[in-house]
Amino acid sequence: MNQPAALSTKSSKTAESTMFKILFIISLCHLLNDAIQAVIPAMFPILEKSMGLSFTQLGIIAFSLNMVSSVMQPVVGYFTDKKPMPFALPIGLTFTLFGIFGLGFAGNFALIVLSVLFIGLGSAVFHPEGSRVAYMAAGSRRGLAQSIYQVGGNSGQALAPVITALILVPLGQIGASWFTIVAAIAVILLIYIANWYQHRLLVSPQVKKKDLTKEKSRGLSKEVKNALALILLLIFARTWYTSGITNFYTFYAIKEYALSIKESQVFLFAFLVAGAIGTFFGGPLADRFGKKNIISFSMLATVPFSILIPHVPPALAFIFLIFTGFILMTSFSVTVVYAQELVPGKIGTMSGLTVGLAFGMGAIGSVGLGSLADWIGLQSMITWLGILPILGLIAFLLPSDQKVWEWNQRG
């Protein structure tokens, strides 16, 4: 075999193999990035007491974080689909580093919001490019690769109650500044990832060109647009629910069950850890049972538990939160892969839409649910929140995995 042919065969085998080292590193970076983001809602009980903030103001802080990330993620994804920027990853986390440092020393509401905007901007840059790295390292196992990547982020979010109990409660607001160390570690790891990413583009540039050409020639059909609208609506429902639990359930547990801040964090920790585990299993389950089936199951099987959570004793509520978190989040990575397969060649854009818009709807949900809690009471808001997963019924309208595959072949 001549040398060019040997290199071609080697490149093909590399493209098909799953690069677990890269997947684990980008997943760890995702964990560190989202752990920093988790500091913000974790600080809500601290800020409510130290600054006397209302639920609406806390919702505005969450809105500031999530809306910047929502607006910018699809934009970043769109531009990096056209021109990949490997070193945007460490640069984005540098913005996050400055934001978390400022958050620890912010003396008023306005400075808190400004610091949070920097963190949101860093997240907006990280997520679509991080998802692209997972896609490039996936080989033929896209569901598993996306689950490994996404479980890092959800594990980082699950650390929020631990952060509150071990760092923020004893140290107060200034404890947030310690997470500049976490951000610095993430920046170093992402420099390594960026170098691999850049080398990968040099080795296999033809893959990217082929995908982009295919997408430009095909465009988006009405069928694909309708399917995207349905998947985004499902993401909105899931995110509104998780936003309500993440931002406000600790206040509910403190009020209804007479728990301390530390004790209430255990409930939230259980919900988030179960969600992280569900995220990991979602991808492999979808590879076996189909993406549409897992998306439908994740929403509808959650309904009995989400409705009952506000009406049961604390021990049972704790168990139901675990079930709800696990089942609901099995669809997290699956919806990303489903959207990427609906629109092949637009990896960053689809990641930005599905994950970015999820953050955005979480932002709107945070403000809306906070205002609703101020208006009708926290208990009533949590009760109505449990009905949201019923919107999972629209998952039955999604095209099957086989149909999506046929559309791609037709294109």
Side-chain angles (χ1 to χ4, degrees):
M1 183 181 293
N2 59 34
Q3 188 175 5
L7 289 173
S8 176
T9 302
K10 183 178 179 181
S11 176
S12 175
K13 289 181 178 179
T14 301
E16 287 300 317
S17 64
T18 303
M19 306 189 70
F20 287 102
K21 178 182 178 182
I22 296 299
L23 288 173
F24 289 141
I25 293 174
I26 196 65
S27 180
L28 176 59
C29 291
H30 200 180
L31 184 152
L32 298 176
N33 178 82
D34 284 25
I36 293 170
Q37 284 186 258
V39 171
I40 296 166
M43 286 183 68
F44 282 1
I46 308 297
L47 295 175
E48 190 231 2
K49 284 193 172 183
S50 64
M51 293 189 174
L53 301 182
S54 67
F55 287 129
T56 301
Q57 286 176 307
L58 295 176
I60 290 171
I61 293 171
F63 178 88
S64 301
L65 170 69
N66 295 334
M67 203 60 191
V68 170
S69 180
S70 170
V71 170
M72 293 301 295
Q73 274 196 51
V75 174
V76 171
Y78 176 79
F79 282 106
T80 55
D81 279 333
K82 292 180 176 294
K83 183 177 176 60
M85 294 180 284
F87 285 91
L89 285 164
I91 291 170
L93 255 292
T94 302
F95 280 104
T96 298
L97 188 152
F98 288 125
I100 196 66
F101 183 79
L103 186 64
F105 295 96
N108 55 56
F109 177 69
L111 287 177
I112 288 174
V113 171
L114 180 62
S115 298
V116 160
L117 290 175
F118 272 87
I119 296 172
L121 181 60
S123 177
V125 174
F126 173 81
H127 280 98
E129 283 297 86
S131 185
R132 188 191 310 281
V133 168
Y135 183 91
M136 293 169 70
S140 59
R141 306 174 73 178
R142 293 179 187 174
L144 175 62
Q146 196 63 221
S147 285
I148 292 173
Y149 169 66
Q150 297 293 353
V151 76
N154 287 346
S155 298
Q157 293 171 23
L159 291 175
V162 177
I163 291 167
T164 301
L166 299 183
I167 299 175
L168 298 179
V169 169
L171 297 180
Q173 181 182 343
I174 199 172
S177 64
W178 283 91
F179 286 86
T180 55
I181 299 171
V182 174
I185 293 170
V187 169
I188 293 168
L189 290 172
L190 287 173
I191 290 172
Y192 174 83
I193 289 289
N195 281 306
W196 173 85
Y197 182 172
Q198 188 173 53
H199 175 72
R200 184 77 167 174
L201 291 176
L202 293 173
V203 170
S204 305
Q206 72 280 1
V207 175
K208 174 180 174 292
K209 289 179 181 177
K210 183 179 73 173
D211 287 344
L212 286 175
T213 302
K214 180 179 179 181
E215 182 55 31
K216 285 178 181 178
S217 65
R218 188 181 72 167
L220 289 184
S221 68
K222 183 179 179 181
E223 296 164 321
V224 170
K225 289 178 181 177
N226 289 339
L228 275 177
L230 290 173
I231 203 73
L232 289 175
L233 184 56
L234 288 166
I235 290 171
F236 296 164
R238 184 185 67 207
T239 306
W240 281 333
Y241 182 81
T242 55
S243 176
I245 296 295
T246 302
N247 291 322
F248 301 110
Y249 188 79
T250 54
F251 296 106
Y252 175 86
I254 290 168
K255 182 178 179 182
E256 296 299 321
Y257 302 141
L259 303 178
S260 67
I261 291 178
K262 283 188 177 182
E263 290 169 339
S264 70
Q265 296 300 312
V266 176
F267 282 71
L268 182 57
F269 182 68
F271 174 78
L272 294 172
V273 168
I277 297 170
T279 298
F280 177 76
F281 282 102
L285 287 172
D287 287 340
R288 180 170 181 179
F289 297 107
K291 288 176 279 294
K292 177 182 175 179
N293 292 334
I294 294 301
I295 292 169
S296 304
F297 169 79
S298 76
M299 297 292 291
L300 296 177
T302 299
V303 172
F305 304 110
S306 64
I307 289 177
L308 288 173
I309 283 171
H311 306 290
V312 295
L316 206 52
F318 182 83
I319 295 171
F320 285 0
L321 280 168
I322 292 174
F323 288 155
T324 300
F326 178 87
I327 296 169
L328 188 63
M329 296 306 286
T330 54
S331 67
F332 191 91
S333 61
V334 181
T335 50
V336 177
V337 176
Y338 188 91
Q340 289 175 342
E341 293 187 357
L342 273 174
V343 190
K346 295 291 184 181
I347 305 305
T349 304
M350 289 302 103
S351 174
L353 280 173
T354 52
V355 181
L357 277 182
F359 277 110
M361 294 313 294
I364 295 171
S366 297
V367 175
L369 293 172
S371 299
L372 190 63
D374 286 334
W375 179 41
I376 67 173
L378 188 60
Q379 183 177 25
S380 296
M381 186 273 282
I382 295 292
T383 299
W384 283 104
L385 186 67
I387 298 174
L388 271 176
I390 291 177
L391 288 174
L393 287 168
I394 67 174
F396 290 114
L397 300 176
L398 288 171
S400 66
D401 296 20
Q402 177 65 23
K403 180 65 70 175
V404 173
W405 181 83
E406 290 173 1
W407 288 349
N408 288 336
Q409 296 306 304
R410 191 175 67 199

